[in-house]
Amino acid sequence: MGSGIIVGNGNIGKSLSTDVDRDFNTFLTIDGGLTWKKLRDGPHIIKMVEEIGLLILAPYNKVTREIYLTFNYGETGFHNLIFSENKSYYI
């Protein structure tokens, strides 16, 4: 990839929604915001290691037992990493 990579949460429409849980999704652009690709439904906490194309996503403001990983900015999808079979965590 290159410069111009942005990952964020938001909605599609004429204005920013105030209903994060209902309207927000997680998006990626690799061209500085010219075009956007939806990565996952719902808002997510995002960590990125640009040098290796790693994105780590976890559901925002929700209890979960898994996180999502991709090593190519979501080009070929995400790997689900389940970190607990029996217990959920608030990340």
Side-chain angles (χ1 to χ4, degrees), residues 23-73:
D23 295 334
F24 276 37
N25 293 306
T26 304
F27 296 92
L28 165 82
T29 179
I30 59 171
D31 56 15
L34 187 62
T35 60
W36 290 87
K37 171 185 173 183
K38 183 168 90 169
L39 292 177
R40 297 202 59 90
D41 291 330
H44 288 77
I45 298 168
I46 304 157
K47 296 296 178 192
M48 178 171 57
V49 181
E50 188 173 352
E51 295 80 12
I52 60 173
L54 173 64
L55 286 176
I56 304 168
L57 304 177
Y60 171 76
N61 206 24
K62 291 189 179 181
V63 174
T64 187
R65 60 185 185 96
E66 63 185 332
I67 58 176
Y68 314 105
L69 305 169
T70 178
F71 289 95
N72 58 7
Y73 298 106

Side-chain angles (χ1 to χ4, degrees), residues 8-25:
N9 296 300
N11 64 288
I12 297 173
K14 293 182 180 182
S15 63
L16 188 60
S17 172
T18 57
D19 192 342
V20 174
D21 291 327
R22 187 189 64 167
D23 295 334
F24 276 37
N25 293 306

